[in-house]
Amino acid sequence: MSEATSEQQAEQRHQIESTISRLFAPEDAGLQGALQAARDAGLPEIQINPIQGKLLQVLATACQARKILEIGSLAGYSGIWLARALPTDGHLITLEINPEHAEVVRASFANAGVGDRTEVRVGAALDLLPTLTTEGPFDLIFIDADKASYPQYLDWAIKLSRAGSIIIADNCVRDGVAFQQTATMDADTIGLVQYNQLTREDPRLTTIVLANDNDYTDGLNIAVVKAH
Ligand code: DHB
Ligand code: MG
């Protein structure tokens, strides 16, 4: 028997991923509508994939989330996955720097049936985060905004959390370059390297990184807050 080529292996991984998506993370009209609205508005198509979205839902359910904070709304796609894990009196606040994108997200939330549980706040996250201290603690915090500020977002996420909260950050693999700082790195990649190091070394957190985007070249950093 001949060895499978790397092309065949990639095809097999793709097949497995498609099957898991279809069986465990199907997109309904609300999620597909959010993607279409984002395309129509010219937003970049860089949202998380359905398996990652379902994982966010699983984690929100695991920590019995009633309050969720998202840093960086983009198309509202991850926000819809997260909001659907909330009880009817739960609340998701998502922070978005671009006011036009925020309008797209509000419409997509309403269209997906989660308008009542969600709130899009417009501004730079580092300006908005200090205003949230009286609204926490948040049970789950999802970070998916400008990468250079990830270390500061982590500080705020821990401040705004409780023991048992889950802090998740997107793009923490980045083709494998997000683990070791080098002399020629840009500020975004340095932010990701530092985020991985901080979450790995902080005694208040238990952390793993999963390479789980479509081609395993990027993925989520998942940290559980043990204590403060
Ligand atoms: C990119 C992807 C992301 O998920 C993100 O948050 C920012 C940028 C990208 O592929 O460029
Ligand atoms: Mg991202």
Side-chain angles (χ1 to χ4, degrees):
M1 200 176 78
S2 60
E3 296 271 314
T5 64
S6 59
E7 209 169 299
Q8 286 167 330
Q9 287 172 343
E11 175 57 22
Q12 187 188 29
R13 281 199 299 270
H14 178 73
Q15 286 293 338
I16 291 169
E17 188 111 343
S18 301
T19 304
I20 295 170
S21 279
R22 180 168 52 78
L23 295 178
F24 289 90
E27 288 172 336
D28 70 351
L31 286 160
Q32 286 173 354
L35 294 180
Q36 188 58 51
R39 274 193 292 272
D40 292 346
L43 272 67
E45 294 186 52
I46 52 171
Q47 71 282 339
I48 57 168
N49 69 31
I51 294 176
Q52 293 174 315
K54 184 63 179 284
L55 179 59
L56 293 183
Q57 251 182 23
V58 168
L59 294 170
T61 307
C63 66
Q64 297 183 287
R66 304 180 78 82
K67 290 186 190 181
I68 295 176
L69 173 64
E70 181 179 60
I71 304 174
S73 316
L74 190 63
Y77 182 83
S78 48
I80 294 170
W81 280 106
L82 283 167
R84 286 183 171 162
L86 287 168
T88 47
D89 63 344
H91 198 59
L92 174 140
I93 296 173
T94 183
L95 311 181
E96 175 54 47
I97 196 163
N98 183 312
E100 282 136 41
H101 294 184
E103 273 310 311
V104 176
V105 173
R106 287 188 187 108
S108 290
F109 282 170
N111 181 56
V114 297
D116 57 336
R117 275 166 278 173
T118 54
E119 196 183 336
V120 186
R121 296 204 186 162
V122 178
L126 289 175
D127 294 334
L128 295 174
L129 285 163
T131 71
L132 294 174
T133 46
T134 55
E135 298 182 76
F138 293 90
D139 308 299
L140 185 146
I141 297 138
F142 179 49
I143 302 169
D144 194 7
D146 59 301
K147 312 310 167 196
S149 302
Y150 267 34
Q152 287 159 283
Y153 296 152
L154 178 64
D155 276 345
W156 277 108
I158 294 172
K159 249 182 228 147
L160 295 168
S161 69
R162 57 161 171 91
S165 290
I166 304 177
I167 301 170
I168 306 157
D170 191 29
N171 307 110
C172 284
V173 176
R174 276 281 157 111
D175 297 315
V177 299
F179 303 112
Q180 173 127 39
Q181 198 161 324
T182 64
T184 54
M185 258 180 182
D186 61 36
D188 285 344
T189 317
I190 290 171
L192 295 168
V193 170
Q194 290 181 343
Y195 189 92
N196 279 330
Q197 183 173 352
L198 289 164
T199 51
R200 197 169 66 241
E201 293 177 354
D202 194 314
R204 297 168 295 182
L205 303 174
T206 301
T207 306
I208 191 63
V209 171
L210 296 179
N212 60 357
D213 80 335
N214 291 333
D215 51 11
Y216 309 93
T217 56
D218 213 340
L220 301 175
N221 177 307
I222 302 171
V224 179
V225 180
K226 289 187 287 189
H228 271 102

